[in-house]
Amino acid sequence: MTRVLPRRDRTLLLEEFDRLWERRVHRDGLRAARAWYRRETLAFATRWPLERFRRTTTTMGEGMMDGIRQLRHTVRGLARVPGFTAVAVATLAIGIGANAVIFGIVDRALLRSLPLPESDRVVQVFEGWFTNLATVEILQGGLTTVTAIGAANDAGGRTLEPADGPARRVTVAEVSPEYFEALGVVPRLGRLFAREESEPGRGGVAVVSAAFWRTALGGTAGALDGELVLDGVSHAIVGVLPEGFDFPSARNDVWVPVVMDASNPGLHWGNGSYSSVARMAPGVTPAQVLGEVMAFEETMRLANPLWTPNPGFWEGARVTPLQEARARWVQGPLTVLLAAVAVVLLVVCANVANLLLSRGLARGRALAVRSALGAGGGRLAREQLMESAVLAMAGLAVGLLLASWSLSLIRPHLPAELPGAAQVGLDPRVVIVTAGIALVTALIAGLLPAVRAARGAPAAALRQSGRGGGASRSRRRTTRVLVAAQMAAAVVLVVSAGLLARSLFALQGVDPGFVTDSRVTARVHLAPGLSGDPAARAVLLDDLAAALSRDPALGGVALASTIPFGSEDEYMATFIPGVTDDPNELPMARHHRVTPSFFEVAGIPLLRGRGLADTDRVGSPLVAVVDETFAETYFPGEDPIGRIVRYPWRGAPDIEVVGVVGSTRHGDLADEREATFWVPLGQMGLGPIGHAVVVAEATGEPSAALGAVTARVRGLDDRMAVSELLRYEERLGASLAGTRLMAVLLLVFAVTALALGCVGVYGVAAFSVREKLREIGVRMAMGASTAGIRKEVLREGLLLAVPGGVLGLILAWPATRLLEGLLFGVARLDPVTFIAVPLILSGAALLAVVVPAHRATRVDPAVVLRGDG
Amino acid sequence: MSRGGLGELEHQTMLALLHLRDDAYTAPIVEELESRTGRDTTVAAVYIVLRRLEEKGWVESELRDPGPEGGRDRRYFAVTEDGIARLRRAREAYAALWDGLEATLGTGKGA
C-alpha cells in the first residue's frame, strides 16, 4: 500500500488507513476489511497515477496557453508601434537574408558532401595536376587501395548537328568508364559506359546531362534510341545522368568515352590534360592511396616512350578527397563572404538591441507601473525576449523572401566552377540553419534589453518618465557602446570592400596589350568531315576569311585557333636550341595559330622584324613571331630574329623567329605576362582544335557585326556552328566576373553595415536632443546662437562615430589578412583606403545627425520651459 | 473537468466537509459521505477530489495537532469562502431547475 500513496500525504494517509481498518474490522469483520483494503490499494494504484498525469498535462497545457496569450500580447504590442516594428523587422531581415544567401552558397560549395554514394571514399589523385591516360591505365592495373580509378578531361566544344535546325556547339567531356564507377554515379536513365567502350575502335556512345536531355532531347525515354552527331561522328545515346551532375564541370552537356590507345604514344603519353578520380576501398585513407601511387613513379618514368622524366617527377603529388579538391579554390573568397555576413549580422544585433532599448525606455512608465504592481523581473525579461523572438521570426520570414530574391539575382553570376552553383537555393537545410541564425540573433539582440527589464528600477523610471525624459546614465553608455561597435564593424567591412573595389579598378586599368574597342569575336566550328584533311581545311579557312572580309559590317578580319581571353588555350613545350636541351626543362609557351592580319586587327604592335605574311603557307619555310616576354625571357640582350624554336617531338622541323610583337595578357588580367609565340594558321593549320576564332573590327554597331559573322558563316556552309558571339570587351569583363561579384557583395554588405551604423548614430543623437530640450531651451533663452547649438549636436554625433571608427580601423588591420589573396595592385594596408574610409564614415555620421541638429535649433524656449515640449 | 465546473463527488465532499466542521480529515470525510449518501466510496477517490478542490481554491487544508485524541499531525480540510460561494451558486442553480418539478418528482424526501 505504501508505495501507491501520494508522496505528500503518505504517512498521514497510512495512519488514517490504520484507523479505518480498525473500524472496518470491528464493523464488517476481518474478511470484508481485507477486501476493502485490497480495493483501496487498487484504487490508489490506478487512480493516483492517472490523476498525476492529468495534473502535469494540464500544467503543460496551461503553460502553452500562457505562451500563446503572451505571444498574442506581444504581437498586439508590436502592432501598436508599426514604425518601430517595421524598422526592426527590416533590419533583421537584411541581416538574416544576407546570411541565408551566403550560407546557401557556402553550404553547397564547402559543407555539403558530394551528391555521390559514400562520397567520402572519392578522391582526386594528383590533385592540382593533369595527367595522361597512360598513367591512369597503369594505375588501373596496379592499385589495390582503390576499387576504381578513372580519368576525365576538361569540357571542350564540339559541333552538334541536330536532325532539324542549324548546327550548334555542345560542351563535351571525355571520361573513362571507370570515372563514373569511381564517382559511383547511377544514371537517371539507361546506362553509363562499359569498360570495353574506351578501347580503340569502340566508343560511338554518349551519355547526356539531365538538362540537355530535357531541353534538347525532349526529356522522354525515347531519347535513348537516338543518336548525336558530334563533329560529324555519330554517337548512340545510351544514358542520362542525374539532375545537377557536375563532374568534371557543370558546363557539360555530353560525355563520351576516352580512347585508351597505347599504340598511339603521342596521345596516350603526350596528352596530359586529364584529371583522375578514384574510389578508395573501404577503410583506406588517401595517404595509403598516395603511398601506393608513388610506388609506380619509377615504372612510369622508365615506361615513357616520348621522353624520360627526371627521377622524383611525382614529388609533391597529392591524393585529396574530391570535395576538398573541388572546393579548394573557392575557400578563400567564401570565407571572406561568410565573415562579412557574420559582421553584418552582429551590426544588425547591435542595432536591434538599441531599438529594443529605446522602446524599453519609451515603455518605461508602463513597465515601471507593472513592475511596481508586482510583475516579476523574470516575467518582464521573458516578455522582452519574446518580443525580440517575434521580431526575429518576422525578420526570418522577410529575410528568406529577400534571400530568395537575391539568390535569383546572384545565381546567374556564380562561376560555373563553383561546386553546386546550379543547385544553390533555399532548401530545407538552409532554411533550418537560417532559422537557427534568426533565433540566435533574437537572443543576442534581446539579451541586453531583457537584463535591463529584469533589473529595472521602477521608482527611478516612474520619476524620470514623469519628467518626460532622461535616460539613466548606464543605458546611455550601453547605447553608445553598441553604436561604437556597429561603427567599428561597418568600418572593417567598408575597408574590405574598398580594397576589393580598388583591386577591381586596378584590374580594369590593366592594359591587355591589344585593342578591344569595337572588336567582336566568335567561335566557328568547322564543318565536319574536314578533320582528316588539312588541305580542305585550309581552303575552307581561306574561304571563310574571304567571305567575312567582304561584309561591309566588318572592317579588318582575322582568324585564329585560340585568342587571348578566349575559352581555350594552347600551350606548347618548346625546344629552343642554345637555351635548353633537357626535355624535362622545356619552357612551356603560349601558342597561337593566327592569320597574318591578326596583329593589325587586334592592335598588337610589331616591335622588330616582320609579322606573319600570306606567303607563309604550307610548303614554305616554317616561321614564328614571338612576343616581347618570350624574347626577353629566352633571348635576353640578344636579337631574337633568325633564332630557331622547335616543337618537342622527335624530328620536329626548325621554326625560324621572324619578328617580335608586343606582349598581351591571356586569360587573367592579374596574371603576369607569359612567353608566347604566334605561328601562321595557313602553315600550321588549326591543330587539335576543331574550330576557328574570328576576330573582326566592327565598322558600325558591334551587334550588327556579330550578326554579319553568323550570316556569312551560315552562307558558306550551314553545317558550321557559331558560338561565343561576344564583343572583345565582354571577354575581358567575364575574366573579372569573380572579382566583381566579390567586390559587389562586399560593397553591399559594407553599405548595409554603414547605413545601420548611421541609423544607430541618428538614434542616439535624436534621443540626446530630445533629452536635452530643456537645457537647449534654457540656453537659447539665455541668448545662445542656433549655429552654436547646431554645431554642438553635430560635434556630438561625430564624437559618437569616432571611437567606433578608430576601433574599426584597428580591427581592419588584421581582418584584411583574409583578403590578401584576392587583392590586385593594392596593398592590404592601402593608405588611400585607410584614409578615405574614416572620411566616408565621418560624412555618413554627419549626415545622420543633420536632422537632429536641425531639430535642436528649432527649439522654442518658451514652449520647452513651460514644460510642454 | 473545466476550472469552474463542480463535479458530483466534489459537491458532496464539500457538503460533507461543512457537516464535519472542525473534524474534517480524510477518514471521517469518507465515513460521512458513506453514511449520508449510503454509497461506498474509496479513500483514493475522496483524496483525489480533495486535492482537486484545493487546486481550485474551494478547499484549503492544514496540518494540525489532533488535540486531545493524541497521535501525529493530521491534514484537516475546510471549505473556503470561494468554495461556499460556489456551493451557493450550485444550490441556486439546482433550485431553479427543481422549481416546478415537485409535482412530477415528489418533494424528494421520504418519497
Side-chain angles (χ1 to χ4, degrees):
Chain A
M1 174 64 120
T2 317
R3 269 174 307 159
V4 302
L5 293 178
R7 196 160 294 143
R8 187 185 89 173
D9 294 321
R10 191 167 283 169
T11 45
L12 299 177
L13 282 169
L14 276 175
E15 212 163 293
E16 299 212 30
F17 268 114
D18 278 351
R19 291 162 52 88
L20 286 167
W21 166 257
E22 272 172 36
R23 284 195 218 174
R24 290 273 166 172
V25 173
H26 182 71
R27 197 181 74 190
D28 308 326
L30 192 60
R31 263 180 80 131
R34 278 203 179 122
W36 165 82
Y37 193 77
R38 275 198 298 276
R39 215 165 53 234
E40 282 290 354
T41 310
L42 187 68
F44 262 110
T46 53
R47 297 185 63 163
W48 180 244
L50 276 175
E51 175 68 8
R52 263 210 332 239
F53 176 72
R54 188 193 64 84
R55 289 158 73 105
T56 39
T57 49
T58 313
T59 319
M60 261 164 46
E62 274 167 14
M64 210 141 67
M65 285 307 293
D66 203 40
I68 290 170
R69 256 198 303 280
Q70 204 171 331
L71 183 68
R72 219 181 312 161
H73 178 76
T74 308
V75 170
R76 257 192 236 127
L78 287 173
R80 270 198 295 272
V81 279
F84 161 85
T85 306
V87 171
V89 169
T91 308
L92 285 163
I94 289 169
I96 292 168
N99 273 273
V101 168
I102 300 301
F103 177 75
I105 296 173
V106 169
D107 184 42
R108 283 286 172 184
L110 301 183
L111 304 181
R112 205 180 288 229
S113 51
L114 299 175
L116 302 169
E118 295 180 68
S119 60
D120 51 332
R121 283 171 54 198
V122 184
V123 289
Q124 178 117 54
V125 181
F126 301 117
E127 191 215 335
W129 294 0
F130 290 106
T131 184
N132 52 37
L133 290 177
T135 305
V136 174
E137 190 171 39
I138 287 180
L139 291 179
Q140 278 172 349
L143 294 186
T144 60
T145 49
V146 305
T147 59
I149 175 169
N153 72 358
D154 218 8
R158 295 200 193 178
T159 308
L160 169 72
E161 286 175 81
D164 46 351
R168 66 188 188 93
R169 178 179 176 269
V170 291
T171 307
V172 181
E174 291 174 19
V175 301
S176 59
E178 295 84 355
Y179 180 76
F180 288 137
E181 233 176 277
L183 294 176
V185 60
V186 178
R188 172 176 176 159
L189 217 62
R191 65 171 177 91
L192 300 174
F193 302 139
R195 289 202 174 185
E196 57 278 9
E197 277 168 337
S198 64
E199 288 166 11
R202 298 291 298 268
V205 289
V207 298
V208 297
S209 73
F212 184 81
W213 172 63
R214 262 189 285 105
T215 55
L217 301 176
T220 62
L224 290 186
D225 301 328
E227 58 163 25
L228 292 176
V229 181
L230 299 170
D231 284 352
V233 179
S234 173
H235 293 74
I237 303 168
V238 297
V240 178
L241 284 160
E243 203 71 54
F245 181 83
D246 58 354
F247 304 88
S249 145
R251 286 186 300 252
N252 287 110
D253 303 307
V254 180
W255 287 253
V256 298
V258 295
V259 181
M260 286 279 192
D261 186 2
S263 67
N264 183 349
L267 279 179
H268 204 52
W269 291 86
N271 180 0
S273 66
Y274 296 88
S275 57
S276 50
V277 167
R279 174 167 288 262
M280 299 188 292
V284 170
T285 65
Q288 285 171 300
V289 176
L290 179 64
E292 214 188 357
V293 166
M294 292 309 282
F296 284 90
E297 186 184 24
E298 194 58 14
T299 316
M300 289 302 302
R301 194 172 84 83
L302 300 176
N304 192 327
L306 300 181
W307 80 96
T308 307
N310 288 333
F313 74 119
W314 276 357
E315 202 183 302
R318 282 176 302 185
V319 172
T320 318
L322 184 58
Q323 182 189 20
E324 207 180 309
R326 271 159 65 97
R328 194 177 295 286
W329 72 276
V330 289
Q331 234 157 10
L334 287 184
T335 311
V336 168
L337 289 178
L338 210 52
V341 280
V343 171
V344 170
L345 195 64
L346 283 179
V347 173
V348 164
C349 285
N351 211 300
V352 173
N354 241 340
L355 280 171
L356 287 171
L357 278 176
S358 326
R359 170 158 155 77
L361 206 77
R363 285 195 315 188
R365 207 186 158 83
L367 282 179
V369 168
R370 288 184 51 203
S371 174
L373 288 177
R379 187 175 174 87
L380 295 179
R382 240 191 342 268
E383 275 184 28
Q384 185 69 72
L385 277 180
M386 169 79 94
E387 186 168 278
S388 59
V390 167
L391 287 173
M393 287 307 113
L396 173 67
V398 179
L400 285 174
L401 282 179
L402 215 63
S404 118
W405 174 73
S406 324
L407 273 175
S408 63
L409 278 185
I410 294 171
R411 209 179 287 116
H413 299 287
L414 289 175
E417 292 78 9
L418 183 76
Q423 286 105 307
V424 167
L426 297 181
D427 52 48
R429 196 173 132 114
V430 175
V431 171
I432 287 170
V433 170
T434 309
I437 292 172
L439 272 181
V440 172
T441 309
L443 205 68
I444 296 176
L447 208 57
L448 253 177
V451 168
R452 218 142 263 282
R455 280 207 319 232
L462 281 174
R463 220 166 38 237
Q464 282 178 356
S465 49
R467 267 214 322 260
S472 74
R473 194 161 300 225
S474 86
R475 193 206 83 99
R476 216 173 332 170
R477 204 169 46 233
T478 312
T479 303
R480 275 161 195 272
V481 168
L482 285 173
V483 169
Q486 286 178 52
M487 276 307 192
V491 164
V492 173
L493 285 180
V494 174
V495 166
S496 305
L499 288 174
L500 265 187
R502 276 179 51 80
S503 297
L504 190 62
F505 287 134
L507 281 170
Q508 279 168 342
V510 169
D511 174 14
F514 55 93
V515 179
T516 57
D517 276 352
S518 68
R519 299 304 192 276
V520 296
T521 66
R523 222 149 85 138
V524 177
H525 301 261
L526 299 189
L530 292 171
S531 47
D533 186 352
R537 228 189 211 193
V539 171
L540 182 72
L541 287 177
D542 282 344
D543 290 351
L544 181 60
L548 292 169
S549 302
R550 276 197 297 275
D551 198 292
L554 304 172
V557 172
L559 299 179
S561 59
T562 54
I563 58 169
F565 293 87
S567 54
E568 268 158 331
D569 300 317
E570 191 180 4
Y571 281 91
M572 194 68 88
T574 315
F575 258 119
I576 309 170
V579 175
T580 172
D581 296 324
D582 182 351
N584 285 299
E585 303 295 328
L586 288 189
M588 288 296 276
R590 287 255 179 193
H591 187 244
H592 295 286
R593 306 149 190 259
V594 296
T595 53
S597 56
F598 187 87
F599 301 118
E600 200 195 321
V601 174
I604 299 173
L606 178 68
L607 302 178
R608 306 180 75 132
R610 68 169 176 94
L612 302 173
D614 285 329
T615 50
D616 298 322
R617 301 201 64 91
V618 179
S620 64
L622 302 184
V623 295
V625 165
V626 299
D627 78 340
E628 213 178 347
T629 310
F630 194 107
E632 282 167 3
T633 311
Y634 302 116
F635 311 118
E638 300 169 41
D639 185 1
I641 307 297
R643 295 293 295 259
I644 299 298
V645 295
R646 253 197 327 254
Y647 293 135
W649 48 83
R650 291 197 182 100
D654 286 356
I655 302 172
E656 190 189 344
V657 175
V658 295
V660 179
V661 294
S663 294
T664 61
R665 307 274 164 166
H666 282 93
D668 187 341
L669 289 167
D671 273 355
E672 289 299 304
R673 290 155 195 268
E674 294 173 88
T676 306
F677 71 111
W678 307 79
V679 297
L681 185 62
Q683 194 163 54
M684 299 296 186
L686 281 173
I689 292 167
H691 62 255
V693 183
V694 176
V695 179
E697 193 180 346
T699 51
E701 274 296 303
S703 57
L706 289 169
V709 170
T710 311
R712 292 286 169 178
V713 172
R714 290 271 154 76
L716 203 61
D717 185 338
D718 68 359
R719 293 174 302 161
M720 297 201 288
V722 184
S723 66
E724 296 180 20
L725 289 154
L726 295 167
R727 288 180 291 116
Y728 222 142
E729 286 109 336
E730 290 177 287
R731 289 187 179 272
L732 257 67
S735 80
L736 297 176
T739 311
R740 187 176 298 122
L741 183 63
M742 278 294 289
V744 166
L745 285 177
L746 267 191
L747 203 65
V748 168
F749 297 150
V751 169
T752 307
L754 191 62
L756 291 177
C758 286
V759 169
V761 170
Y762 164 80
V764 171
F767 196 85
S768 152
V769 167
R770 216 177 311 140
E771 232 183 341
K772 289 196 297 194
L773 277 183
R774 279 172 74 92
E775 183 197 321
I776 294 172
V778 169
R779 283 173 49 200
M780 287 182 70
M782 309 272 288
S785 73
T786 53
I789 299 281
R790 185 184 301 131
K791 210 187 289 173
E792 192 186 308
V793 176
L794 291 178
R795 194 176 59 224
E796 199 187 343
L798 266 187
L799 282 180
L800 206 57
V802 165
V806 171
L807 182 65
L809 284 179
I810 294 169
L811 288 177
W813 203 292
T816 50
R817 209 171 288 267
L818 266 181
L819 287 173
E820 225 153 19
L822 305 172
L823 300 182
F824 173 82
V826 55
R828 182 166 71 80
L829 302 176
D830 174 46
V832 175
T833 310
F834 274 75
I835 290 169
V837 167
L839 294 179
I840 295 172
L841 180 78
S842 315
L846 273 182
L847 219 60
V849 291
V850 161
V851 174
H854 181 65
R855 195 175 300 148
T857 59
R858 298 278 299 271
V859 167
D860 180 348
V863 174
V864 175
L865 293 178
R866 255 202 328 273
D868 306 342
Chain B
M1 212 144 306
S2 67
R3 282 198 142 218
L6 182 60
E8 186 184 13
L9 189 60
E10 289 177 344
H11 195 160
Q12 293 174 354
T13 304
M14 288 215 289
L15 293 174
L17 284 179
L18 291 171
H19 280 294
L20 287 168
R21 293 165 194 274
D22 287 346
D23 200 26
Y25 59 96
T26 313
I29 297 170
V30 173
E31 285 170 341
E32 184 74 15
L33 280 168
E34 284 186 345
S35 69
R36 283 195 182 263
T37 64
R39 217 172 62 182
D40 265 0
T41 182
T42 60
V43 178
V46 173
Y47 178 80
I48 285 167
V49 158
L50 285 168
R51 290 284 292 258
R52 280 188 199 168
L53 288 170
E54 261 189 295
E55 262 174 62
K56 293 181 180 181
W58 295 336
V59 161
E60 56 194 6
S61 75
E62 60 171 336
L63 286 174
R64 228 186 312 133
D65 195 84
E69 259 184 82
R72 290 201 203 178
D73 281 3
R74 289 188 191 132
R75 183 174 295 280
Y76 287 92
F77 295 87
V79 181
T80 63
E81 294 207 0
D82 280 355
I84 288 177
R86 183 68 188 85
L87 283 173
R88 285 210 181 99
R89 277 216 308 284
R91 186 174 65 175
E92 281 159 19
Y94 278 122
L97 285 166
W98 273 102
D99 196 25
L101 293 177
E102 284 78 4
T104 319
L105 294 165
T107 54
K109 275 215 169 159

